[in-house]
Amino acid sequence: TGVLEFSTSGGRHGYLRSHWREGRRKSLEGLLGSFIVGLIEISHEVRLEREEDQRRREQEAERKRLEAEEQKREAKEAERVRFLRGQLRDRRLAHEIRLYVAEVQTVLDDAGLGHIERSELVEHLQWATEYSDRLDPTTRARRSVREGLAELRTKAGPAAAPGALRT
């Protein structure tokens, strides 16, 4: 009759026996025990391979998660730096505007024109001062703190301890 054989495939278990063949010296019945032991060994090896693959996938997912977290932190840091630089740029410009206004006012005072109340130049200087206050982040912060303290004083009422919430 024909020759009967068993074989397995699909794993990375090359060192394990994966082929059983009936021959002149070995009958199918004589190979069954070896075949079953081989199947058990292969199934164990396949399970270990799957566990190792799963561990690698989990490690890769964790690496990607940590990498994404780091990129998010870096992006947040970059945004903070941009914001801070913008605030510093605005503060420097507000300071330069104040210096300009003070210098022009000194020129007017030295010329005896400091008393002029309504002129385009005086209106321009007033506007420039107000603009520098709107521009300067420290002025905005001071105003916000003052408003917050005023609100707290209002809520505290006249029963507040003397000297509490002093500016």
Side-chain angles (χ1 to χ4, degrees), residues 14-15 24 26 34 39 44 46 68 71 86 88 90 94 98 101 105 115-116 131 138-139 145 149 153 160-161:
Y15 62 92
R24 288 184 194 173
K26 294 266 183 171
S34 173
L39 283 180
H44 176 72
V46 167
Q71 288 174 348
L88 292 173
D90 289 350
R98 289 184 188 113
V101 168
Q105 192 62 51
H115 64 282
I116 298 175
Y131 176 68
T138 59
T139 302
V145 167
L149 287 174
R153 278 194 202 97

Side-chain angles (χ1 to χ4, degrees), residues 40-53:
I40 292 170
E41 288 174 345
I42 289 171
S43 70
H44 176 72
E45 193 64 28
V46 167
R47 190 189 91 239
L48 291 177
E49 289 171 1
R50 287 181 181 158
E51 288 172 357
E52 179 64 20
D53 289 345

